[in-house]
Amino acid sequence: MRQDIHNSDIPALCRACEARHKGVCGALNTEQLIRLNKVTRQEIIKSGEELITEKEQNNRYANILRGVAKLSKLMEDGRQQIVGLQFAPDFLGRPFSSVSDVSIEAATELQLCTFPKKALEEIIKSSPVLEHKLHEQTLRELDEARAWMLTLGRKTASEKVANFVYLIATHTNPEENQTKNLLLELPLKRSEISDFLGLTIETVSRQLTKLRKADIIEMQEGRKILVKDFGKLYHACGH
Amino acid sequence: MRQDIHNSDIPALCRACEARHKGVCGALNTEQLIRLNKVTRQEIIKSGEELITEKEQNNRYANILRGVAKLSKLMEDGRQQIVGLQFAPDFLGRPFSSVSDVSIEAATELQLCTFPKKALEEIIKSSPVLEHKLHEQTLRELDEARAWMLTLGRKTASEKVANFVYLIATHTNPEENQTKNLLLELPLKRSEISDFLGLTIETVSRQLTKLRKADIIEMQEGRKILVKDFGKLYHACGH
DNA sequence: CGATTAATTGAGCGGACTCAAAGCTAGTGG
DNA sequence: CCACTAGCTTTGAGTCCGCTCAATTAATCG
């Protein structure tokens, strides 16, 4: 599949990139990487900036190299719902459609590798493995969306907040399902967490205080949180 | 692509099947249809019967020929969330994974065309167009899941119920965005509607009564509902 | 027809919301 | 260094929407 023997032929950018190992670019051979590399552009997006607007035309895709992106939907009256978070090395954009029905915004500072829609779609034609990789990410996102639907529809405020901390814990420090202390930084502010959980900022704040008083987490400077008891946190999610 | 010229070669079952036109089987040529047809089996599933159990092994896929299937997730303490509905000619099952993380159950009587996981996966290998079709359905499901997340997280009880009626209206009678009367039959009972909307049966019932008193719908025998004002219904969804 | 399950309606409660105020942070400039 | 601002977060008090519990009515099916 991949020709790691000729590692030196691989574009410098790609050589260090996580997307080539765990992301969609893992489906590409050296020649395709070189071809794609000619049209890619690295970009740094500041926290809060919008990449793709809901219901609007867009003709660029991207891979996340670093940072967290949030996908959200907005109602005319201002109500908002965050419908997903994406981490490196996720692929950003809606394949096979020129309009996304969610907006994509940088939750933290974001380092991206962007490329034109057309370039990707051409490579897909010659390399079905790439579409397979994209399909697998779509399936993973669908599983996550449905798991979150259970959280939104059936869990209490405290379970929701625990679930959010748990989600961040498992995504930023994967495979560390340990009971030991685990330090993490929340990529969202309170208003965003509330829009992700279908709650208000006040309720989120109160429930975090409850988790703190229950000795499950400890709050540190900034948005840093120390998970003191991973088992209890998992349990607090409703499991 | 498809060889409709040799229509007579197409298996009898497939000739009348919606899945060949609008569903995933549209990606297959006559030869592939014949190949798949050797291992397919038509099945009638009674309302309420479970096809696939959450977290359990399963090695069959299916296309819906008639009826509605519901996808749901269950918590240990019995809380339940319906995370999607599927209509003909949708494909049922989780590609590339032997365990589904949702259970699939017949919401109404269901007529299916089932086939072994292996058969489909082999055809995918020789025909990337099939994977593309599956990918497109997955993307559509993801869009729908995210739209529903907005409903679950940010809409009021009355908006939720209106949204449900609207969803059924648009899925059972597509492209009839008319102001004229539209008769439809709800495929779910109250307890299922409440599990879909993250509400209780009582609240669902009360909100339906409100829609009736607002002259937006009219309730008839069984689960039939007459939509008297499609525009008002759309508006009642929060739009 | 009764038996059973589904749906409606009512009364009262409580969890999450609203509104309001005070406490933190980080950034800016004197 | 502190003063000042603007944005974010926490905390409190009171309200209301949707839940719970309970009773009735309506459908469905032997």
Side-chain angles (χ1 to χ4, degrees), chain B residues 156-157 199-200 202-203 206:
Chain B
T156 64
L199 298 169
T200 58
E202 294 94 332
T203 301
R206 279 185 251 270

Side-chain angles (χ1 to χ4, degrees), chain B residues 60-226:
Chain B
R60 288 188 77 71
Y61 288 132
N63 281 322
I64 302 183
L65 303 186
R66 181 177 50 80
V68 181
K70 63 176 208 202
L71 315 186
S72 64
K73 295 178 77 77
L74 192 65
M75 291 174 69
E76 288 108 81
D77 61 7
R79 280 179 283 177
Q80 197 169 6
Q81 177 67 47
I82 295 182
V83 296
L85 293 181
Q86 313 232 243
F87 301 80
D90 286 347
F91 170 88
L92 290 181
R94 171 63 158 85
F96 317 122
S97 165
S98 53
V99 292
S100 163
D101 72 344
V102 298
S103 75
I104 306 186
E105 190 179 314
T108 65
E109 186 175 276
L110 217 48
Q111 186 183 354
L112 298 180
C113 176
T114 73
F115 37 87
K117 229 176 177 68
K118 258 196 185 157
L120 189 80
E121 274 160 13
E122 267 162 31
I123 297 183
I124 283 181
K125 273 181 205 151
S126 67
S127 167
V129 192
L130 179 55
E131 172 145 26
H132 179 71
K133 281 269 184 184
L134 286 170
H135 191 186
E136 290 216 308
Q137 179 179 321
T138 308
L139 284 163
R140 217 171 8 212
E141 287 179 40
L142 183 57
D143 288 341
E144 285 174 10
R146 286 172 172 165
W148 206 250
M149 287 171 80
L150 176 64
T151 301
L152 288 173
R154 285 303 183 203
K155 295 196 181 175
T156 64
S158 55
E159 287 169 339
K160 283 180 176 180
V161 171
N163 229 173
F164 173 72
V165 177
Y166 181 78
L167 178 96
I168 301 302
T170 50
H171 272 80
T172 56
N173 218 327
E175 322 305 336
E176 298 233 21
N177 296 10
Q178 55 192 2
T179 322
K180 283 170 45 189
N181 286 354
L182 173 61
L183 186 67
L184 50 95
E185 180 156 19
L186 301 183
L188 305 182
K189 55 187 175 190
R190 296 291 179 272
S191 66
E192 293 171 313
I193 299 175
S194 69
D195 282 340
F196 194 23
L197 294 169
L199 298 169
T200 58
I201 32 176
E202 294 94 332
T203 301
V204 171
S205 180
R206 279 185 251 270
Q207 297 302 334
L208 281 172
T209 304
K210 266 183 59 183
L211 285 178
R212 184 166 52 73
K213 287 185 176 162
D215 261 326
I216 296 174
I217 63 171
E218 191 172 281
M219 307 184 67
Q220 307 197 341
E221 40 98 12
R223 285 172 196 156
K224 288 200 183 64
I225 280 193
L226 183 71

